[in-house]
Amino acid sequence: MKKKKVMKIMKKIKFILMFIFIFILASCNKLEEKEYQLFSMNTIINIKIYNDNDFDIHKKEIKKIYDNINNLTDDFSEDGKVYILNKNREIDYNLDLANIINLSLEIKEKTNGYFNPLIGRLSHKWKDAISNKEILD
């Protein structure tokens, strides 16, 4: 009778050890990292994606997202929505742009004005001064 109990307990222990072993093996899967660069918003952006079988699909989607944000917020290009707004021309309502503006105003408030999204004219003056090799007073 005792031998059967011991055998039953041993089977349970073997099952538990096997489960733990499989769990450890499965969790030791090394992360595969894929990295690439894209150019958007006048800067180089480094992207890392881990364990992704659809790398090329996600790469294209990430590029679309950055390009959309660039198109919405670009105030140097005539196609940019902010550029159009700064020229006091109307644009169709865009929820993404509204969210970006609201978030930037929240950040301005939280940083006591250290981050200020409303300095577009000043940044244009700096850009012109740099291209003309001038110093602003």
XYZ file of all heavy atoms in Angstrom, residues 59-108:
416
model
N 7.256 47.883 -40.169
C 8.181 48.943 -40.575
C 7.457 49.977 -41.435
O 7.586 51.185 -41.227
C 9.345 48.302 -41.342
C 10.429 49.226 -41.749
C 11.527 48.426 -42.449
C 12.542 49.314 -43.085
N 13.588 48.571 -43.781
N 6.644 49.506 -42.384
C 5.885 50.414 -43.252
C 4.841 51.189 -42.452
O 4.626 52.386 -42.684
C 5.198 49.630 -44.372
C 6.151 49.113 -45.424
C 5.442 48.269 -46.466
C 6.435 47.626 -47.410
N 5.812 46.687 -48.328
N 4.184 50.517 -41.506
C 3.162 51.185 -40.698
C 3.775 52.256 -39.797
O 3.207 53.343 -39.638
C 2.386 50.165 -39.852
C 1.450 49.291 -40.657
C 0.383 50.079 -41.398
O -0.242 50.987 -40.801
O 0.188 49.798 -42.597
N 4.931 51.962 -39.216
C 5.616 52.948 -38.376
C 6.007 54.162 -39.209
O 5.841 55.305 -38.782
C 6.837 52.305 -37.687
C 6.372 51.285 -36.651
C 7.733 53.359 -37.060
C 7.473 50.395 -36.106
N 6.510 53.932 -40.399
C 6.865 55.036 -41.311
C 5.639 55.883 -41.622
O 5.707 57.117 -41.613
C 7.487 54.464 -42.594
C 7.760 55.493 -43.662
C 9.162 56.007 -43.589
C 9.511 56.850 -44.798
N 9.528 58.253 -44.527
N 4.496 55.237 -41.883
C 3.254 55.979 -42.164
C 2.855 56.862 -40.990
O 2.436 58.004 -41.183
C 2.102 54.998 -42.443
C 1.962 54.568 -43.855
C 0.601 53.874 -44.011
C 0.704 52.680 -44.907
N -0.554 51.946 -45.020
N 3.000 56.330 -39.775
C 2.639 57.099 -38.579
C 3.523 58.339 -38.453
O 3.031 59.451 -38.240
C 2.734 56.215 -37.318
C 1.632 55.155 -37.337
C 2.650 57.065 -36.047
C 1.809 54.053 -36.310
N 4.832 58.144 -38.599
C 5.745 59.292 -38.510
C 5.492 60.300 -39.623
O 5.515 61.513 -39.399
C 7.208 58.838 -38.519
C 7.730 58.491 -37.149
C 7.871 57.173 -36.753
C 8.082 59.480 -36.247
C 8.345 56.853 -35.494
C 8.560 59.176 -34.990
C 8.684 57.860 -34.624
O 9.154 57.549 -33.376
N 5.259 59.826 -40.826
C 4.985 60.732 -41.941
C 3.691 61.507 -41.718
O 3.603 62.698 -42.051
C 4.937 59.974 -43.263
C 6.317 59.516 -43.715
O 7.325 60.010 -43.171
O 6.375 58.650 -44.617
N 2.684 60.866 -41.148
C 1.425 61.540 -40.849
C 1.640 62.642 -39.816
O 1.165 63.771 -39.990
C 0.376 60.539 -40.353
C -0.950 61.194 -40.069
O -1.453 61.984 -40.855
N -1.522 60.874 -38.925
N 2.370 62.321 -38.749
C 2.653 63.335 -37.720
C 3.449 64.486 -38.327
O 3.174 65.662 -38.058
C 3.396 62.711 -36.526
C 2.483 61.731 -35.789
C 3.900 63.791 -35.569
C 3.184 60.881 -34.758
N 4.423 64.166 -39.167
C 5.219 65.200 -39.820
C 4.330 66.094 -40.691
O 4.456 67.323 -40.668
C 6.329 64.565 -40.659
C 7.228 65.594 -41.286
O 7.786 66.438 -40.598
N 7.352 65.541 -42.593
N 3.444 65.489 -41.465
C 2.555 66.261 -42.327
C 1.628 67.165 -41.513
O 1.344 68.290 -41.910
C 1.728 65.333 -43.219
C 0.844 66.104 -44.168
O 1.263 67.086 -44.769
N -0.393 65.667 -44.295
N 1.182 66.674 -40.389
C 0.282 67.476 -39.557
C 1.000 68.642 -38.890
O 0.460 69.741 -38.808
C -0.353 66.593 -38.472
C -1.345 65.547 -38.934
C -1.762 64.666 -37.766
C -2.570 66.192 -39.562
N 2.214 68.411 -38.414
C 2.871 69.406 -37.558
C 3.929 70.246 -38.250
O 4.465 71.170 -37.639
C 3.527 68.691 -36.356
O 4.494 67.758 -36.840
C 2.493 67.982 -35.512
N 4.224 69.971 -39.497
C 5.276 70.697 -40.209
C 4.834 72.137 -40.469
O 3.821 72.380 -41.106
C 5.600 69.994 -41.527
C 6.836 70.548 -42.198
O 7.399 71.551 -41.697
O 7.238 69.989 -43.224
N 5.612 73.079 -39.945
C 5.280 74.491 -40.202
C 6.287 75.135 -41.148
O 6.295 76.339 -41.322
C 5.148 75.268 -38.903
C 6.455 75.437 -38.174
O 7.365 74.622 -38.388
O 6.581 76.388 -37.393
N 7.132 74.331 -41.781
C 8.072 74.841 -42.778
C 7.652 74.481 -44.196
O 8.004 75.158 -45.140
C 9.489 74.315 -42.507
C 10.095 74.887 -41.258
C 10.141 74.139 -40.098
C 10.604 76.168 -41.237
C 10.695 74.666 -38.942
C 11.156 76.703 -40.088
C 11.198 75.944 -38.942
N 6.909 73.400 -44.347
C 6.478 72.942 -45.666
C 5.079 73.474 -45.962
O 4.209 73.475 -45.091
C 6.458 71.405 -45.693
O 5.771 70.949 -46.824
N 4.845 73.895 -47.174
C 3.532 74.439 -47.547
C 2.419 73.408 -47.464
O 1.253 73.756 -47.441
C 3.599 75.045 -48.945
C 4.456 76.291 -48.997
C 4.462 76.947 -50.371
O 3.621 76.587 -51.216
O 5.310 77.821 -50.579
N 2.780 72.117 -47.420
C 1.781 71.065 -47.285
C 1.415 70.780 -45.830
O 0.420 70.112 -45.566
C 2.294 69.763 -47.915
C 2.492 69.900 -49.412
O 1.800 70.725 -50.032
O 3.355 69.182 -49.960
N 2.239 71.251 -44.892
C 2.003 70.979 -43.473
C 0.757 71.684 -42.961
O 0.497 72.846 -43.282
N -0.013 70.992 -42.142
C -1.263 71.573 -41.608
C -0.986 72.766 -40.708
O -1.707 73.760 -40.752
C -2.060 70.514 -40.842
C -2.470 69.313 -41.664
C -3.371 69.673 -42.804
C -3.785 68.420 -43.553
N -4.236 68.668 -44.885
N 0.072 72.706 -39.899
C 0.400 73.833 -39.023
C 0.853 75.028 -39.859
O 0.520 76.175 -39.556
C 1.461 73.422 -37.979
C 1.975 74.627 -37.207
C 0.883 72.384 -37.022
N 1.589 74.778 -40.927
C 1.990 75.855 -41.831
C 0.746 76.557 -42.380
O 0.666 77.786 -42.397
C 2.838 75.290 -42.980
C 3.269 76.325 -44.005
C 4.479 76.981 -43.854
C 2.473 76.633 -45.103
C 4.890 77.930 -44.779
C 2.878 77.576 -46.036
C 4.079 78.225 -45.875
O 4.480 79.168 -46.784
N -0.225 75.773 -42.820
C -1.464 76.330 -43.377
C -2.203 77.131 -42.312
O -2.686 78.242 -42.573
C -2.357 75.203 -43.950
C -1.651 74.559 -45.151
C -3.726 75.732 -44.351
C -2.288 73.260 -45.636
N -2.280 76.599 -41.080
C -2.939 77.328 -39.989
C -2.225 78.632 -39.676
O -2.865 79.653 -39.418
C -3.004 76.460 -38.726
C -4.009 75.330 -38.710
C -3.824 74.473 -37.467
C -5.431 75.871 -38.777
N -0.881 78.597 -39.686
C -0.110 79.809 -39.400
C -0.316 80.885 -40.458
O -0.086 82.066 -40.194
C 1.378 79.487 -39.257
C 1.680 78.806 -37.940
O 0.921 78.895 -36.984
N 2.796 78.102 -37.899
N -0.727 80.496 -41.637
C -1.027 81.467 -42.700
C -2.489 81.918 -42.637
O -2.992 82.549 -43.551
C -0.744 80.856 -44.080
C 0.699 80.491 -44.302
C 1.558 81.733 -44.322
C 2.995 81.378 -44.597
N 3.888 82.505 -44.479
N -3.151 81.569 -41.530
C -4.559 81.925 -41.290
C -5.492 81.401 -42.374
O -6.476 82.037 -42.729
C -4.726 83.443 -41.138
C -4.057 83.947 -39.885
O -4.060 83.275 -38.854
N -3.457 85.112 -39.976
N -5.151 80.215 -42.882
C -6.035 79.558 -43.838
C -6.694 78.384 -43.142
O -6.168 77.819 -42.197
C -5.238 79.085 -45.062
C -4.627 80.244 -45.824
C -4.078 79.879 -47.183
N -3.543 78.549 -47.311
C -2.323 78.268 -47.728
N -1.494 79.238 -48.056
N -1.912 77.029 -47.846
N -7.861 78.018 -43.623
C -8.614 76.935 -42.999
C -8.114 75.574 -43.457
O -7.635 75.417 -44.576
C -10.106 77.044 -43.365
C -10.820 78.168 -42.671
C -12.312 78.162 -42.958
O -12.859 77.090 -43.299
O -12.920 79.223 -42.829
N -8.232 74.614 -42.547
C -7.982 73.216 -42.887
C -9.173 72.406 -42.387
O -9.935 72.864 -41.542
C -6.683 72.675 -42.236
C -6.774 72.707 -40.710
C -5.473 73.416 -42.732
C -5.659 71.954 -40.017
N -9.335 71.220 -42.931
C -10.363 70.324 -42.432
C -9.984 69.897 -41.024
O -8.806 69.706 -40.710
C -10.500 69.081 -43.319
C -11.054 69.421 -44.696
O -11.782 70.430 -44.809
O -10.748 68.682 -45.653
N -10.996 69.713 -40.179
C -10.736 69.280 -38.813
C -10.014 67.941 -38.837
O -10.372 67.041 -39.577
C -12.045 69.156 -38.024
C -11.827 68.666 -36.624
C -11.385 69.535 -35.632
C -12.021 67.332 -36.297
C -11.159 69.091 -34.349
C -11.807 66.874 -35.007
C -11.378 67.756 -34.042
O -11.146 67.307 -32.765
N -8.992 67.822 -38.001
C -8.219 66.598 -37.914
C -8.044 66.251 -36.441
O -7.414 67.008 -35.702
C -6.865 66.782 -38.602
C -6.079 65.511 -38.651
O -5.684 64.984 -37.620
N -5.855 65.013 -39.851
N -8.601 65.119 -36.031
C -8.548 64.708 -34.631
C -7.115 64.508 -34.158
O -6.770 64.893 -33.035
C -9.366 63.433 -34.423
C -9.420 62.896 -32.993
C -10.044 63.922 -32.056
C -10.191 61.587 -32.950
N -6.255 63.923 -35.001
C -4.858 63.707 -34.605
C -4.162 65.039 -34.319
O -3.459 65.173 -33.319
C -4.098 62.950 -35.692
C -4.542 61.502 -35.824
O -5.056 60.946 -34.829
O -4.377 60.934 -36.914
N -4.370 66.015 -35.183
C -3.754 67.325 -34.967
C -4.305 67.980 -33.702
O -3.554 68.558 -32.917
C -3.950 68.236 -36.182
C -3.331 69.628 -36.072
C -1.832 69.548 -35.815
C -3.623 70.433 -37.327
N -5.604 67.874 -33.494
C -6.214 68.434 -32.278
C -5.608 67.789 -31.032
O -5.292 68.486 -30.055
C -7.725 68.239 -32.302
N -5.409 66.475 -31.058
C -4.806 65.778 -29.915
C -3.367 66.213 -29.693
O -2.928 66.389 -28.548
C -4.877 64.260 -30.111
C -6.276 63.726 -29.948
O -7.117 64.316 -29.281
N -6.545 62.595 -30.577
N -2.613 66.389 -30.780
C -1.223 66.828 -30.659
C -1.157 68.232 -30.058
O -0.350 68.504 -29.160
C -0.509 66.779 -32.032
C -0.310 65.336 -32.470
C 0.825 67.525 -31.986
C 0.139 65.175 -33.908
N -2.010 69.116 -30.526
C -2.027 70.492 -29.998
C -2.413 70.493 -28.526
O -1.770 71.150 -27.696
C -2.962 71.387 -30.836
C -2.358 71.600 -32.229
C -3.208 72.723 -30.134
C -3.295 72.271 -33.214
N -3.459 69.746 -28.179
C -3.891 69.688 -26.774
C -2.799 69.113 -25.877
O -2.542 69.638 -24.787
C -5.181 68.877 -26.634
C -6.379 69.631 -27.170
O -6.414 70.854 -27.160
N -7.364 68.900 -27.651
N -2.149 68.050 -26.327
C -1.076 67.456 -25.535
C 0.090 68.424 -25.382
O 0.650 68.563 -24.289
C -0.592 66.151 -26.186
C 0.554 65.432 -25.484
C 0.152 65.013 -24.072
C 1.003 64.233 -26.295
N 0.445 69.123 -26.439
C 1.564 70.063 -26.347
C 1.239 71.220 -25.398
O 2.114 71.689 -24.672
C 1.960 70.578 -27.728
O 0.916 71.326 -28.303
N -0.014 71.654 -25.374
C -0.403 72.715 -24.431
C -0.394 72.203 -22.990
O -0.020 72.946 -22.068
C -1.778 73.272 -24.809
C -1.811 74.047 -26.134
C -3.245 74.437 -26.496
C -0.911 75.269 -26.082
N -0.762 70.944 -22.788
C -0.673 70.341 -21.449
C 0.778 70.273 -20.990
O 1.086 70.577 -19.834
C -1.255 68.929 -21.449
C -2.756 68.859 -21.446
C -3.249 67.411 -21.494
O -2.582 66.517 -20.909
O -4.300 67.175 -22.113
N 1.670 69.867 -21.900
C 3.092 69.776 -21.549
C 3.640 71.166 -21.246
O 4.433 71.340 -20.313
C 3.887 69.085 -22.673
C 3.454 67.621 -22.796
C 5.390 69.173 -22.419
C 3.995 66.918 -24.017
N 3.207 72.178 -21.995
C 3.636 73.553 -21.727
C 3.241 73.946 -20.307
O 4.042 74.520 -19.556
C 3.000 74.515 -22.729
C 3.374 75.967 -22.473
C 2.650 76.907 -23.393
C 3.070 78.330 -23.034
N 2.085 79.300 -23.430
